[in-house]
Every structure is written in C-alpha cells, then in structure tokens.
Amino acid sequence: MAEPASGNGEHRGSKRRKRSRRANPDGTMTLIEHIYEFRRRLGFAMLAVIAGAIFGFIWFSTKMGPVPSLGEIMKAPYCAIPANRRLNSEMGCQLLQTQPFEAFMIQLKVSVAAGAVLLAPAWLYQFWAFIAPGLYSKERKYALTFVGFASALFASGAVLAYILFPHALQLLMGFGEGEFITALTADKYISFMLSLLVIFGISFELPLLVVMLNRVGVVKYVQLKKWRRGIVFALFVFAAFATPGSDPFSMLGLAGALTVLFEISIQMARFHDRKKDKVRSDEGWDKLADDEAAPFDYTPSKVDDEPSAPTASGGRSSTDDVT
C-alpha cells in the first residue's frame, strides 16, 4: 500500500515542477494541465479577495490611525448634507436600517468591494501569471502597460465620483425643502454610491480604448478628428443616462472629464500616426507598386526561451501535445 502512495506523491510533485517557470520556462502544457493551472491561480485569487474582505470588514468600524474607518468614509457624503435637511438622532449622523440583517449585508458588501480594490495587485498577479507564459516579451510589455494605465484610470474615475457625490446629494435632497426630511436607508444609499463609483471608473477607460485601437490600426487620427464633435456630443448623452439620478453635477463632471481624456487620446493618436507616417516615408513604403512586396522582415519570431532538448523516450520535445 505504501508504494502506490509514494508514486502518486512523486507524480504530483512532477506536475508542480513542470508548472513552475524554472522547470518549464516556455510555459508549455497540455490541455488538462492548463485547466489545473487555471484552477490553482483562480483559487489563489479568491483567497486574496477573501483576505481583503476580512480586512475591509474589520476596517469598516475600526479607525486605522489617522485614516478614518471605512464606514465613516462611505457615510461622509451623506453627513455633508446640511443638518436641517436630513434626519438627525441623538448619536449624530446615521443611516437608516429597515431590515434585521441590512447593516450586516451592507458591511459585507462594502468590505468585499474595498478588499478587492486594496488587494487588486495580488489577484491580478495570479491571472497575469497564468497568461504570461504564452506571451512574447513585447506582448508582456504592452499588457503590463495596459493593466497599469487601466488601473490608474479606474481609480481616478472613482475618486472623481467620490468628490462629486456630496454635491449631487445636496442638489437632489434640496428639492421640496421645508416639506421633506432626508432619511436615507443604508441599502439604497450604499448601492447608489457604489454604482456611481463603478460607472465613473469604467467610463474613464475610454481614452485607453481609443489609444489601443489606434495602436493596432483600427482607427486613425484623421478619423478621430473628423468624428470629434459627434463623439463629444455622444459623451454628454452617455453621461446623462449613466449617472444615477441624472443630477447635473455628476453628469457635467463625468462628461467634462471624458471629453478632456478623449482629447488627450486624440493627441496621442496624432503623435503616433505622425511617427508611423515618418517611418513609412523613410522606408519608402508609399512608393511601392501594388504588386511589389513590402520590405518587412518575414523571419518567424521565436519565444524568449528555446524549448528543452528532445527526451530520451521517443525523442519528443516538451512542445509536443500542447495547447
């Protein structure tokens, strides 16, 4: 009975060694090994999110030195409403709970969102480690640049939404002054705030999308310049429908920021196309006849690390039977 167990242990150890970068630098795997690797990376990513959620759950009601608690950060825009327009209690500014488990579910929802953001490098690394072995060095460089700018733009959009949120609340709660008192439920308030943060964050990815499409040759600067007015108008229409409550502060803030970012992406496309046209002119590509081959390097590219030598059994290399 001991021998089969030892064989199974050696088999699992050989699989782990084969999945490692040192033992398998070019990342070649069979289909089933790809599935096992994806399951392993997904498990590590979920553990990172759970760890972040636990930290966020503790931070929700605990002040971390000079940093206020997460609950105070989320509640600050509501407490910025003038006291004569919202319902006040003896304990100060508080949100309203209407169901037994509403406070717990809200704290859990906010904790998971905050933990996923705080530990984003950890779980994003797991997905990056899964796809990186299949990319060339140049593709890895572009992928890392894309992820870095995407994260920065999403964070910028979320910060702008948080800054505009108190003004939007004050405007929306100002209607019917003297006739109504504001007593927001925690569920509706947190959902409204999180949706605004996500909408602003995703919308800020627009310039990155334009730049990437220009890099791969889908759109040119000339086309973007021609479509500028129509796209700017479409951005204002999108902001009017995308912002919850359709308040003018959020709409104008989102539309204005997207317009500025879109103009920056247009200028980046202009610089890229001008540089590309100069290369074409220097290489003489525009002077070639229609039936003449372009002076490209048709040598097939290679992976960063050469595959290992053929094995003793059958002479098959590590690249055989891979996806």
Side-chain angles (χ1 to χ4, degrees):
M1 297 298 293
E3 292 181 358
S6 176
N8 292 336
E10 292 179 358
H11 182 63
R12 288 193 296 268
S14 63
K15 283 187 176 181
R16 285 193 294 268
R17 287 192 298 270
K18 190 171 183 179
R19 286 196 295 262
S20 67
R21 289 285 292 166
R22 181 176 298 178
N24 188 17
D26 57 352
T28 56
M29 298 180 186
T30 61
L31 177 59
I32 192 65
E33 288 173 343
H34 273 294
I35 296 175
Y36 288 152
E37 177 70 5
F38 179 76
R39 183 182 65 179
R40 188 171 69 95
R41 294 295 181 182
L42 183 61
F44 287 150
M46 292 299 296
L47 288 177
V49 173
I50 292 174
I54 294 174
F55 173 78
F57 196 87
I58 298 173
W59 181 27
F60 189 89
S61 56
T62 305
K63 186 177 180 181
M64 303 290 182
V67 180
S69 65
L70 185 59
E72 293 177 357
I73 295 175
M74 300 298 292
K75 194 175 61 175
Y78 171 70
C79 295
I81 300 176
N84 60 344
R85 295 186 186 178
R86 56 178 169 81
L87 183 63
N88 293 281
S89 65
E90 297 179 357
M91 300 182 64
C93 176
Q94 291 180 318
L95 295 170
L96 186 63
Q97 179 182 202
T98 59
Q99 298 179 8
F101 293 100
E102 184 174 355
F104 173 78
M105 295 305 298
I106 290 299
Q107 184 172 350
L108 183 62
K109 181 192 299 186
V110 175
S111 301
V112 171
V117 172
L118 291 175
L119 290 185
W123 58 265
L124 283 176
Y125 169 77
Q126 297 302 326
F127 289 102
W128 170 252
F130 176 73
I131 65 173
L135 301 177
Y136 298 113
S137 58
K138 185 176 182 180
E139 293 172 337
R140 293 174 192 169
K141 178 182 177 182
Y142 280 121
L144 286 175
T145 303
F146 178 85
V147 172
F149 277 102
S151 302
L153 287 173
F154 186 91
S156 300
V159 170
L160 178 62
Y162 186 82
I163 294 175
L164 295 176
F165 190 57
H167 303 285
L169 273 181
Q170 292 185 28
L171 177 66
L172 295 175
M173 301 299 110
F175 294 101
E177 185 178 359
E179 304 295 333
F180 300 95
I181 193 71
T182 301
L184 297 179
T185 62
D187 183 36
K188 298 293 181 62
Y189 171 79
I190 295 297
S191 298
F192 179 77
M193 186 176 189
L194 290 179
S195 62
L196 194 66
L197 295 177
V198 171
I199 288 173
F200 270 66
I202 295 177
S203 301
F204 268 49
E205 306 295 336
L206 172 65
L208 185 60
L209 177 62
V210 173
V211 171
M212 294 301 294
L213 290 177
N214 174 254
R215 290 281 177 175
V216 298
V218 176
V219 293
K220 302 292 185 181
Y221 166 72
V222 177
Q223 296 172 316
L224 293 173
K225 182 180 179 180
K226 182 180 179 180
W227 301 338
R228 179 188 278 125
R229 294 184 179 180
I231 293 178
V232 170
F233 176 77
L235 292 178
F236 275 84
V237 175
F238 167 78
F241 283 97
T243 50
S246 298
D247 63 281
F249 280 105
S250 300
M251 185 198 73
L252 293 176
L254 178 59
L258 289 179
T259 301
V260 172
L261 291 174
F262 177 66
E263 184 62 30
I264 293 175
S265 64
I266 289 181
Q267 298 305 319
M268 293 179 66
R270 179 183 181 183
F271 175 78
H272 175 260
D273 289 352
R274 181 182 298 176
K275 182 179 179 181
K276 191 174 180 179
D277 291 340
K278 185 178 184 302
V279 173
R280 291 176 60 90
S281 178
D282 295 340
E283 296 291 337
W285 297 350
D286 296 332
K287 300 178 181 179
L288 297 175
D290 295 337
D291 57 349
E292 187 177 356
F296 297 140
D297 184 10
Y298 295 98
T299 304
S301 57
K302 298 181 179 180
V303 295
D304 297 336
D305 300 304
E306 291 295 335
S308 59
T311 58
S313 58
R316 298 179 62 187
S317 65
S318 62
T319 57
D320 291 340
D321 192 25
V322 296
T323 57

